[in-house]
């Protein structure tokens, strides 16, 4: 085959593609190289020759390359990127007619198989500075009969043999973003999600790394599917060592039946690589989100929030709300969010979803008195909604029982006593738009907490599965609302972190990372969350002392320090706090406000210490002048003494003052005396010393934490 080569460069990487030369019949293109920038005069032909593999005894007579769309048509024996047929025919399109259109930082690859009546379009773009590569795929039916599409990978990436380790995700309600590490097995390692939303248990991402990878070292590749519906994420290792990563939307049987002229468009997959371990990977994704994907309001200071859920639940007594608002303003809250329970007859979670009108029994004078009070106290007002859902006990369901997703003549099991509205029905989507638009027009609401509290089970319009269309209809509804109300911010919540992905994040401003406000659980949830998402979009609240989802009883400092780095807030009945506790909360909020411009623009630092018995989380300013880190103890340390904390990343030649923000409530339990140096503000060390010999951390009790401020001292250190 005569080949042509294409090259894309960003400040951080080079991408090389090999495709059939224009006008010649060939196979699908393949990625020759994606890595740190190559010299300008590197010759792709030489690279291609250097990578040419011999044909193997017992195999086909030509070596089979891994293309952008691996398929049996070229003899590729593994998982194909495309699977579909027209009544059993056209199941193996060859796409001999390939063209590559080059733009500044992207390629559009068009591959046609006229005989099969199919066109495949793959778009690949390289972000300018963040080292993120995005890919998506579109299949068009040019034939005269329907094409039954079963799988169309959004992207296929070759994985180098050096990246032997796989980090994948698991989780559950109140326990999202947990990681599992293992060696890449022979065969397929696949995660499939059929829950109709991103899910708590199968975050659509995978990380591959060299054996030695950790937070700061080792080479890693990370991939994430920007999609909020069903998905499939797979890694495959073939017997000859070829390895591929594929991600895409999982299609249910018959879900995508392409009529003549119709196309299927996949979501994007975002890839990055780093030679600086998981820290480098996160930094790339965070930079990409900040510069290319998140709505611009997320660059404004994130207002400290009070959410009413764990404070009052459904008990919206006016005096309680008023008292809560006053206390919230007193401690420094900037946004007051009225959670579930404000609409008609919603006194528990069994009724009224769908009826988006105010409960006049609870609010006889409308929402105005509460909103005015909140605003007069200097706070913004936000409101909870769960638009996609309907309770059978609601006026909406009674009027339109046919508006729910369902399979004809079958009874869908309820989830939290509710069903899902079929947003692909224009009248249902219009009803939701009108209801939300009316609320946003009637009241000065600056923020919606958009909740979604059940998996989809009967994901159909009566006859056929519509999961993907439902996801796109949700995106369209949010987009339309944002267009009409461009200043309103939206939080994506799905029983906590059940809908956290780059697809929803294009159009929302923060994610409720978990329904668990338990700081112990949150520590690992937030570590996992932060691999892909930056702290400013991570909803994180100080919950009640007795955690409502676990029953644990946790110290205020531990709760505050754990929530401190994210989009910070409170979710507790503040009237239960003593004056002394309110004053400590006030101090944490004031400190957060001082630091948030750094916390929400810097580089995330994580460490898993003592096999997870202690966790470090922090943020380093991009200009290396400051860092804030928390050291949290999850379990008693193994050794009697905690090892000194070594923190790489600061400027080795600058001096920094290191000082703990919080005092320890029980300093005497395992120590006879306290290492004072950390607490009196006199400790000045070079970045080299902080990374090299480290800082002795006191022996902390489990479920306590220390918050360390590290600031450039601005002067050379003079001994004595
Ligand atoms: C589930 C959410 O995750 C909670 O924060 C709260 O908003 C409840 N729903 C309200 O029903």
């Amino acid at each position: 085959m005569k080949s042509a080569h294409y090259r894309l460069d960003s400040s951080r990487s080079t991408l090389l593609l090999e495709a059939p030369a224009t006008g010649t019949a060939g196979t699908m293109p393949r990625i020759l190289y994606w890595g740190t920038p190559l010299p300008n005069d590197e010759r792709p032909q030489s690279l291609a020759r250097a990578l040419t593999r011999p044909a193997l005894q017992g195999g086909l007579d030509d070596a089979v390359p891994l293309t952008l769309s691996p398929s049996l048509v070229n003899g590729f024996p593994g998982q194909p990127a495309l699977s579909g047929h027209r009544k059993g025919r056209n199941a193996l399109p060859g796409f001999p007619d390939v063209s590559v259109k080059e733009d500044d930082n992207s390629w559009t690859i068009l591959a046609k198989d006229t005989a099969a009546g199919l066109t495949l379009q793959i778009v690949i773009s390289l972000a300018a500075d963040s080292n993120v590569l995005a890919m998506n795929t579109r299949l068009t039916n040019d034939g005269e009969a329907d094409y039954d599409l079963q799988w169309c990978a959004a992207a296929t990436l070759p994985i180098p043999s050096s990246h032997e380790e796989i980090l994948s995700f698991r989780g559950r309600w109140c326990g999202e973003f947990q990681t599992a590490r293992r060696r890449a097995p022979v065969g397929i390692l696949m995660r499939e999600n059929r829950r109709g939303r991103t899910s708590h248990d199968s975050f659509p991402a995978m990380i591959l790394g060299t054996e030695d990878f950790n937070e700061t070292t080792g080479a890693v590749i990370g991939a994430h599917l920007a999609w909020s519906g069903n998905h499939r994420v797979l890694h495959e290792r073939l017997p000859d060592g070829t390895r591929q990563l594929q991600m895409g939307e999982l299609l249910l049987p018959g879900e995508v039946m392409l009529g003549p002229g119709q196309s299927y468009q996949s979501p994007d997959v975002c890839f990055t690589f780093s030679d600086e371990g998981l820290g480098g990977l996160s930094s790339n994704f965070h930079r990409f989100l900040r510069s290319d994907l998140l709505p611009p309001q997320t660059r404004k200071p994130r207002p400290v929030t009070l959410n009413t859920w764990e404070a009052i639940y459904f008990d919206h007594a006016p005096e309680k709300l008023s008292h809560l608002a006053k206390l919230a303003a007193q401690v420094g809250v900037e946004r007051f969010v009225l959670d579930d329970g404000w609409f008609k007859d919603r006194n528990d979670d069994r009724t009224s979803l769908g009826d988006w009108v105010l409960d006049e029994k609870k609010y006889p004078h409308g929402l105005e008195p509460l909103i005015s009070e909140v605003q007069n106290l200097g706070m913004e007002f936000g409101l909870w909604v769960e638009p996609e859902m309907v309770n059978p006990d609601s006026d909406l369901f009674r009027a339109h029982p046919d508006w729910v997703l369902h399979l004809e003549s079958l009874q869908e099991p309820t989830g939290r006593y509710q069903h899902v509205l079929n947003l692909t029905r224009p009248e249902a989507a219009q009803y939701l738009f009108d209801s939300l638009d009316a609320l946003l027009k009637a009241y000065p609401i600056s923020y919606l907490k958009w909740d979604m509290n059940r998996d989809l089970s009967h994901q159909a319009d009566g006859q056929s599965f519509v999961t993907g269309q439902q996801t796109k209809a949700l995106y369209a509804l949010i987009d339309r609302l944002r267009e009409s109300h461009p200043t309103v911010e939206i939080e994506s919540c799905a029983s906590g972190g059940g809908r956290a992905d780059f697809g929803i994040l294009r159009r929302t401003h923060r994610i409720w990372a978990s329904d668990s406000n338990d700081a112990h659980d949150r520590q690992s949830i937030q570590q996992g969350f932060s691999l892909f998402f930056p702290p400013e979009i991570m909803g994180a609240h100080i919950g009640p002392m007795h955690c409502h989802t676990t029953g644990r009883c946790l110290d205020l400092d531990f709760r505050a320090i754990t929530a401190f780095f994210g989009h910070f807030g409170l979710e507790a009945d503040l009237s239960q706090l003593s004056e002394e506790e309110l004053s400590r909360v006030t101090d944490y909020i004031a400190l957060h406000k001082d630091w948030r411009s750094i916390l929400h623009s810097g580089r995330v630092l994580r460490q898993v210490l003592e096999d997870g018995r202690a966790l470090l989380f922090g943020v380093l300013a991009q200009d290396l002048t400051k860092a804030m880190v928390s050291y949290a103890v999850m379990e008693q340390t193994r050794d009697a003494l905690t090892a000194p904390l070594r923190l790489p990343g600061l400027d080795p030649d600058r001096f920094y003052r290191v000082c703990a923000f919080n005092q320890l409530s029980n300093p005497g339990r395992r120590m006879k005396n306290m290492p004072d140096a950390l607490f009196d503000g006199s400790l000045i060390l070079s970045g080299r010393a902080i990374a090299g010999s480290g800082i002795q951390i006191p022996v902390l009790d489990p479920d306590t934490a220390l918050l360390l401020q590290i600031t450039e001292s601005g002067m050379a250190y003079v001994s004595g």
Side-chain angles (χ1 to χ4, degrees):
M1 178 182 93
K2 277 190 81 187
S3 306
H5 295 103
Y6 300 85
R7 174 173 175 148
L8 283 180
D9 284 289
S10 74
S11 57
R12 289 156 183 265
S13 65
T14 298
L15 180 68
L16 287 181
L17 187 82
E18 182 173 68
T22 321
T24 63
T27 55
M28 284 299 292
R30 64 170 174 143
I31 290 177
L32 268 186
Y33 178 88
W34 182 39
T36 46
L38 290 173
N40 285 338
D41 43 8
E42 184 83 58
R43 294 176 55 199
Q45 297 81 350
S46 306
L47 232 122
R49 282 186 56 221
L51 292 172
T52 303
R53 303 156 81 181
L56 297 176
Q57 290 295 358
L60 298 181
D61 297 335
D62 289 315
V64 181
L66 181 74
T67 69
L68 288 174
S69 184
S71 162
L72 261 184
V73 80
N74 314 113
F76 181 81
Q79 167 78 21
L82 190 67
S83 170
H85 64 100
R86 226 186 290 273
K87 292 205 172 129
R89 307 195 53 203
N90 307 136
L92 272 187
F95 299 115
D97 179 5
V98 178
S99 66
V100 180
K101 184 169 153 284
E102 295 177 272
D103 279 316
D104 276 357
N105 62 350
S106 68
W107 298 317
T108 302
I109 297 157
L110 262 192
K112 269 185 170 300
D113 185 328
T114 318
L118 293 169
T119 300
L120 197 63
Q121 173 188 288
I122 299 177
V123 177
I124 302 182
S125 42
L126 195 57
D129 297 317
S130 51
N131 199 20
V132 167
L133 181 71
M135 287 198 213
N136 64 60
T137 300
R138 185 183 181 89
L139 182 77
T140 302
N141 177 10
D142 307 318
E144 276 162 18
D146 288 357
Y147 194 80
D148 181 357
L149 184 63
Q150 289 153 353
W151 170 240
C152 178
T156 301
L157 191 78
I159 300 299
S161 55
S162 48
H163 290 52
E164 276 282 3
E165 299 268 303
I166 297 184
L167 197 71
S168 62
F169 289 83
R170 61 183 184 79
R172 59 166 165 80
W173 177 66
C174 285
E176 299 85 341
F177 307 106
Q178 305 300 305
T179 51
R181 185 170 174 159
R182 75 198 94 193
R183 235 179 143 68
V186 173
I188 290 183
L189 177 79
M190 177 153 78
R191 297 299 309 271
E192 289 189 334
N193 168 42
R194 288 183 177 74
R195 294 185 185 275
R197 56 177 174 174
T198 323
S199 86
H200 292 79
D201 54 312
S202 173
F203 177 61
M206 208 178 255
I207 295 171
L208 297 114
T210 48
E211 210 168 4
D212 61 337
F213 88 81
N214 60 28
E215 280 295 338
T216 49
T217 52
V220 287
I221 294 172
H224 168 73
L225 182 73
W227 182 241
S228 316
N230 291 335
H231 61 247
R232 177 180 288 149
V233 169
L234 71 94
H235 169 273
E236 182 173 37
R237 179 190 199 131
L238 293 175
D240 68 357
T242 301
R243 292 171 59 200
Q244 62 161 335
L245 187 61
Q246 276 186 24
M247 288 188 175
E249 181 185 356
L250 182 142
L251 304 176
L252 293 171
E255 183 180 341
V256 178
M257 192 64 78
L258 291 177
Q262 289 185 334
S263 299
Y264 165 79
Q265 174 64 56
S266 84
D268 278 0
V269 180
C270 298
F271 298 101
T272 195
F273 71 82
S274 167
D275 292 334
E276 294 172 3
L278 296 174
L281 172 141
S282 298
S283 178
N284 292 346
F285 278 128
H286 297 178
R287 194 178 295 111
F288 171 68
L289 289 179
R290 285 169 178 162
S291 60
D292 290 31
L293 193 129
L294 283 167
Q297 288 105 319
T298 55
R299 299 320 313 140
K300 292 202 254 167
R302 303 291 70 215
V304 176
T305 297
L306 179 124
N307 184 286
T308 59
W309 181 239
E310 292 198 354
I312 58 163
Y313 292 103
F314 294 101
D315 178 9
H316 287 218
E319 58 294 346
K320 261 198 177 178
L321 279 167
S322 166
H323 191 46
L324 194 58
K326 287 195 185 77
L327 289 173
Q330 180 192 318
V331 296
V333 166
E334 299 161 308
R335 177 182 279 164
F336 185 91
V337 180
L338 189 66
D339 208 284
D340 198 354
W342 59 268
F343 49 102
K344 193 169 160 278
D345 297 333
R346 179 75 169 173
N347 297 317
D348 56 39
D349 58 5
R350 292 174 179 256
T351 168
S352 303
L353 288 175
D355 301 343
W356 298 111
V357 288
L358 198 63
D359 187 332
E360 287 175 2
K361 289 187 215 103
K362 290 178 189 163
Y363 296 94
H365 308 292
L367 273 180
E368 286 91 353
L370 176 64
I371 299 185
S372 300
E373 179 166 24
V374 163
Q375 290 186 327
N376 290 337
L377 287 163
M379 299 181 287
E380 299 174 14
F381 182 78
L383 193 66
W384 179 95
V385 286
E386 194 178 355
E388 296 143 85
M389 298 293 159
V390 62
N391 288 113
D393 182 6
S394 66
D395 294 344
L396 182 69
F397 188 79
R398 281 183 283 273
H400 301 288
D402 52 332
W403 279 12
V404 296
L405 289 175
H406 68 287
L407 283 160
E408 207 163 82
S409 72
L410 292 176
Q411 188 59 40
E412 189 199 39
T414 49
R416 208 193 187 201
Y417 318 108
Q418 61 203 47
H419 292 293
V420 188
L421 288 170
N422 178 358
L423 304 190
T424 72
R425 284 184 80 124
E427 62 276 37
Q430 184 64 40
Y431 167 80
L432 290 178
F433 176 82
D434 291 342
S435 308
L436 297 170
D437 182 55
L439 278 169
L440 295 175
K441 279 186 176 139
Y443 302 109
I445 295 168
S446 61
Y447 174 86
L448 288 177
K449 173 173 175 181
W450 189 300
D451 208 344
M452 197 276 194
N453 285 307
R454 64 157 294 171
D455 289 340
L456 278 52
S457 26
H458 291 196
Q459 306 171 14
D461 61 0
Q463 307 296 330
S464 320
F465 291 119
V466 291
T467 328
Q469 287 179 52
Q470 169 86 359
T471 309
K472 286 178 184 158
L474 166 74
Y475 289 168
L477 175 62
I478 300 178
D479 291 348
R480 199 174 155 202
L481 269 170
R482 286 194 57 228
E483 233 174 271
S484 303
H485 303 277
T487 57
V488 173
E489 295 191 17
I490 301 178
E491 171 174 59
S492 169
C493 171
S495 311
R499 189 153 65 196
D501 59 80
F502 292 3
I504 201 76
L505 259 191
R506 262 187 206 290
R507 39 191 62 84
T508 53
H509 304 75
R510 83 169 209 168
I511 287 172
W512 183 228
S514 177
D515 268 358
S516 181
N517 284 317
D518 174 317
H520 179 95
D521 289 352
R522 274 280 183 150
Q523 282 286 336
S524 64
I525 292 170
Q526 296 182 177
Q527 288 241 344
F529 184 93
S530 72
L531 284 165
F532 287 81
F533 305 110
E536 62 269 28
I537 61 113
M538 177 176 78
H541 296 166
I542 304 178
M545 179 174 73
H546 279 102
C547 304
H548 289 188
T549 53
T550 61
R552 273 197 195 102
C553 184
L554 297 173
D555 165 72
L556 176 60
D557 290 292
F558 185 50
R559 285 177 281 141
I561 291 170
T562 303
F564 185 82
F565 295 87
H567 184 169
F568 193 33
L570 303 170
E571 189 174 332
D573 182 358
L574 300 185
S575 67
Q576 301 296 311
L577 269 61
S578 66
E579 279 304 315
E580 192 268 333
E581 286 172 320
L582 285 172
S583 132
R584 270 153 70 204
V585 169
T586 310
D587 290 348
Y588 276 108
I589 292 179
L591 185 74
H592 175 85
K593 287 178 183 170
D594 278 354
W595 276 77
R596 69 184 154 192
S597 62
I598 286 171
L599 303 179
H600 296 165
S601 64
R603 182 183 171 111
V604 165
L605 305 170
R606 287 177 302 253
Q607 286 182 26
V608 177
L609 301 154
E610 299 216 29
D611 294 333
R613 287 182 177 80
L615 296 175
L616 175 131
F617 190 88
V619 177
L620 172 64
Q622 298 289 357
D623 63 4
L624 310 186
T625 52
K626 287 181 175 180
M628 176 78 92
V629 298
S630 68
Y631 182 96
V633 173
M634 314 306 295
E635 272 179 56
Q636 293 272 13
T637 47
R638 209 173 14 216
D639 296 331
L641 194 60
T642 312
L645 173 67
R646 296 185 177 85
L647 193 66
L650 294 157
D651 184 337
D653 298 323
R654 285 192 237 175
F655 283 90
Y656 296 90
R657 189 181 305 276
V658 185
C659 187
F661 176 73
N662 59 312
Q663 298 295 324
L664 298 179
S665 40
N666 286 306
R669 228 175 323 243
R670 277 180 56 195
M671 299 170 294
K672 289 187 178 160
N673 65 305
M674 187 67 115
D676 291 335
L678 260 184
F679 296 89
D680 62 14
S682 65
L683 190 64
I684 296 181
L685 294 166
S686 69
R688 199 179 304 279
I690 295 172
S693 43
I695 305 158
Q696 178 61 54
I697 295 289
V699 185
L700 302 183
D701 286 343
D703 291 338
T704 63
L706 206 56
L707 188 62
L708 298 178
Q709 306 180 75
I710 303 173
T711 44
E712 193 177 358
S713 76
M715 55 178 192
Y717 176 59
V718 183
S719 140

